[in-house]
Amino acid sequence: MAEKPLIFITNDDGYQARGIRLLEKILRPLGNVVVVAPNIEMSGKSHAITGGKPLKLSCITKEEGFEEYSLEGTPVDCVKMAFDKVLNRKPDFLFAGINHGSNLSINTIYSGTMGAVTEGCSEGIPSVGFSLCDNDKEASLADCEEFVREISKDVIENGLPKDVCLNVNFPLGKIKGIKVGHQAKGFWSEDFTTSEQEGEKTIFWLGGEYHCTDDSPRADWNIVNEGYAAIVPMQVDFTAWKILDNITSRFSKI
Amino acid sequence: MAEKPLIFITNDDGYQARGIRLLEKILRPLGNVVVVAPNIEMSGKSHAITGGKPLKLSCITKEEGFEEYSLEGTPVDCVKMAFDKVLNRKPDFLFAGINHGSNLSINTIYSGTMGAVTEGCSEGIPSVGFSLCDNDKEASLADCEEFVREISKDVIENGLPKDVCLNVNFPLGKIKGIKVGHQAKGFWSEDFTTSEQEGEKTIFWLGGEYHCTDDSPRADWNIVNEGYAAIVPMQVDFTAWKILDNITSRFSKI
């Protein structure tokens, strides 16, 4: 019998979040599981890393086939810490989430959960992020459980193309099926809430609203709004290849 | 005579860094300049945003054609704050840097400076990030000054393609010219420094080493190592379009 795969799990909602607990439950039968997740919520931390201050690691659980740690750091810190110091080797797979909140469209760029996924991908590990499109930390995860299990099994069995990771988003409630698509075009309009003064400083709270500008039926935002789970294959090469040659002739003249 | 363009500037090294001071000096003759930059160093903050705590804004300078503010927040917070509360409208252009340290290859994903640039791009603003490939905050910026000026002038005059921003990196010392290229393939190997114990917690400091795995002469890492400035056009669509159809047929079976 083949050795069990080494599965690494993290998230950005913190190691005590309901989403990561369910992900652990789903993945433990599929391999040896090691969790390193932030000790507190780290939503919106994107691909941030911690320089200039120490990272504190605590062991929560250590038993046959399952280890869990919390780290006073970002999700990407968790990945790097795990790969260098917690695991005896790089994991075979990285799974992140289940995130409480959408990582559709441009939102993936702000997400700590997807930061961890792209970090894993950049280090050559087949990596998948799962998100439930509801910010309520108490929202029911029941409807996505079977889909998380089946997608995870497929990735563990068949791997992923080189340099590609998956961003999986679920609608709340009954899920009609899975559709593969692309990142929807869209943007955020800012709306900072009322300011106060603190001496010379003006105080604001960040707020805003997302606007989808993509009417493609394959845009992830639209897939989820139709009641399907959206899988977007992502890469960590940000080069705008399509316009590379145009830009080349233009700036070569300077 | 046409109205002067409204130019927004930020960085991740903080508003007092030498790099942003030079960028201000270069751009002030080219338009009305507004700066909102972090009050302290925010390197490695990527696309992080600040939720759950307030953002404090201080006015440093306010004169005809030039305003400067510091914000207790990340570079992306600075962009959002500027667009919503500081400027009377969206800027015509966003420039970030001059960053003290390389944003070549995968390093762009960790960079607060490039986080600000991609935020600007996602909101439809022609946006450019400049970086000097030397971490020494006292390194000479003299050799890149003229290149920053010429690239900025070109972008202000001709704009940028829709949904594309520029990542510009300079070698230290004499610059042979400009080459346009792509993000180099590469990865970081972690190397956390010696741990201590604090009760049950183990303490680490993040460290690591970058490895370029790309031998293309058009890879940004290689361009800079040949003594040229590297310009990479970047996009904020992370979809792995090339493999989209393969992945579609595979996951549609679940």
Side-chain angles (χ1 to χ4, degrees), chain B residues 17-194:
Chain B
R18 291 171 56 248
I20 198 167
R21 293 290 155 133
L22 178 57
L23 190 57
E24 290 165 13
K25 182 190 136 193
I26 294 168
L27 295 177
R28 285 181 65 173
L30 306 180
N32 294 319
V33 168
V34 177
V35 180
V36 180
N39 65 317
I40 55 168
E41 185 176 339
M42 284 280 166
S43 295
K45 293 296 178 194
S46 184
H47 216 95
I49 50 174
T50 301
K53 68 177 195 179
L55 294 163
K56 299 179 184 179
L57 182 74
S58 302
C59 181
I60 310 292
T61 308
K62 192 168 184 169
E63 58 191 59
E64 181 67 29
F66 181 67
E67 297 180 27
E68 186 182 34
Y69 301 82
S70 78
L71 182 70
E72 298 177 22
T74 66
V76 172
D77 290 333
C78 291
V79 175
K80 289 180 169 290
M81 174 68 76
F83 288 13
D84 190 39
K85 293 294 179 195
V86 178
L87 308 170
N88 292 319
R89 58 180 177 90
K90 283 205 183 179
D92 298 309
F93 302 97
L94 181 154
F95 293 94
I98 301 168
N99 193 65
H100 297 277
S102 154
N103 283 320
L104 294 164
S105 181
I106 188 72
N107 297 306
T108 186
I109 206 173
Y110 304 105
S111 166
T113 294
M114 291 310 298
V117 170
T118 48
E119 178 66 22
C121 183
S122 79
E123 300 207 29
I125 311 301
S127 301
V128 181
F130 295 110
S131 304
L132 179 67
C133 296
D134 192 301
N135 287 322
D136 180 0
K137 297 262 189 294
E138 301 306 317
S140 171
L141 296 156
D143 292 292
C144 67
E145 180 170 346
E146 194 55 27
F147 286 93
V148 171
R149 183 174 293 112
E150 292 305 315
I151 294 165
S152 301
K153 275 183 172 173
D154 186 294
V155 169
I156 290 169
E157 196 167 321
N158 303 308
L160 284 174
K162 188 169 162 18
D163 300 328
V164 170
C165 52
L166 299 184
N167 181 18
V168 185
N169 280 270
F170 300 104
L172 187 65
K174 190 160 163 44
I175 298 163
K176 294 179 185 170
I178 294 173
K179 289 191 178 179
V180 174
H182 58 83
Q183 181 183 311
K185 290 194 174 83
F187 68 96
W188 278 82
S189 59
E190 292 80 18
D191 186 14
F192 285 83
T193 50
T194 323

Side-chain angles (χ1 to χ4, degrees), chain A residues 44 49 55 57 72 84 110 119 123 154 159 183 190 192 201-202 204 218 233 235-236 238 240 248 250, chain B residues 49 55 57 72 84 110 119 123 154 159 183 190 192 201-202 204 218 233 235-236 238-240 248 250:
Chain A
I49 51 175
L55 293 164
L57 183 74
E72 297 177 22
D84 191 38
Y110 304 105
E119 178 66 23
E123 300 206 32
D154 186 293
Q183 181 183 312
E190 293 80 17
F192 285 84
K201 297 173 184 173
T202 313
F204 298 95
R218 293 189 77 183
Q235 59 191 13
V236 289
F238 309 130
T248 300
R250 170 174 163 184
Chain B
I49 50 174
L55 294 163
L57 182 74
E72 298 177 22
D84 190 39
Y110 304 105
E119 178 66 22
E123 300 207 29
D154 186 294
Q183 181 183 311
E190 292 80 18
F192 285 83
K201 298 174 183 174
T202 313
F204 298 95
R218 296 190 75 184
Q235 60 191 11
V236 289
F238 309 130
T239 309
T248 300
R250 170 174 163 185

